[in-house]
Structure formats: structure tokens, C-alpha cells
Amino acid sequence: MGTLYEALQLILQVLWFIMIVHIIMSWLINFQVLNLRQPLVAQIWDGLNRLLEPIYAPIRNILPNTGGLDLAPLIVFIAIIIAQRALANNAGFFYGF
């Protein structure tokens, strides 16, 4: 069971990292530091969107329209923090304590 705990924590940490990369890359694209006409940048951007859009889409459907401000990543960050803390508080269950 300890392996399950560590795997869940690892999945949440990787998701956290992917979201940070996606957010920073979106800023760089919006401020025209990166250009989507470059093949590598376009491939990375498309891959990140394909990974994160299934997570963001249901949240965007629930949230009210806020114009240009996307609050879905913030909600996912909060959910990740809650899940990590819930796992940490229940680590004894996974290790058999």
C-alpha cells in the first residue's frame, strides 16, 4: 500500500509541474516571447493542451464566464493541494499504522 501512496503523490506532483509549465508557456506566448509558428513550440503547446484540457473543460463548464481570465487552473491547483494534504494526513492507512 505504501507504493500506492507514493504513486498517487508522484502523479499529483507531475500534474502540478505540467500545469506550471503550461501557465508559464501561455504567458510567454501571449507576450510574444515564444511563437507558435515554431514547430517545437507548437508541438509542446499542443501536447500540453491535450493533456490538460480534459481536466480544465469540466471546471470551465461549471465556472461563470470571466472574460479573458481563466480560473480553471486555479481550481485545479487548489484540488491538487487538497488531495496531497488528504493523502499526507492518511499516510498511516497506506503504511498500515
Side-chain angles (χ1 to χ4, degrees):
M1 287 293 270
T3 305
L4 178 62
Y5 169 76
E6 292 170 10
L8 291 172
Q9 286 285 13
L10 180 64
I11 289 169
L12 291 173
Q13 289 172 356
V14 168
L15 180 60
W16 181 277
F17 176 74
I18 289 171
M19 287 179 62
I20 294 291
V21 169
H22 184 256
I23 291 168
I24 291 173
M25 198 168 171
S26 73
W27 291 343
L28 293 175
I29 289 169
N30 285 333
F31 290 120
Q32 298 177 357
V33 175
L34 293 177
N35 190 347
L36 286 176
R37 286 184 232 135
Q38 298 171 338
L40 180 63
V41 173
Q43 286 180 342
I44 293 171
W45 181 248
D46 185 50
L48 289 173
N49 281 330
R50 287 180 184 209
L51 281 172
L52 293 173
E53 193 57 34
I55 298 169
Y56 292 160
I59 297 170
R60 287 183 182 134
N61 289 336
I62 296 170
L63 292 175
N65 187 9
T66 55
L69 184 62
D70 186 14
L71 296 176
L74 178 64
I75 301 299
V76 174
F77 275 131
I78 292 170
I80 289 173
I81 291 169
I82 290 170
Q84 285 178 332
R85 295 210 178 151
L87 281 172
N89 289 338
N90 295 310
F93 169 76
F94 290 100
Y95 288 109
F97 296 128

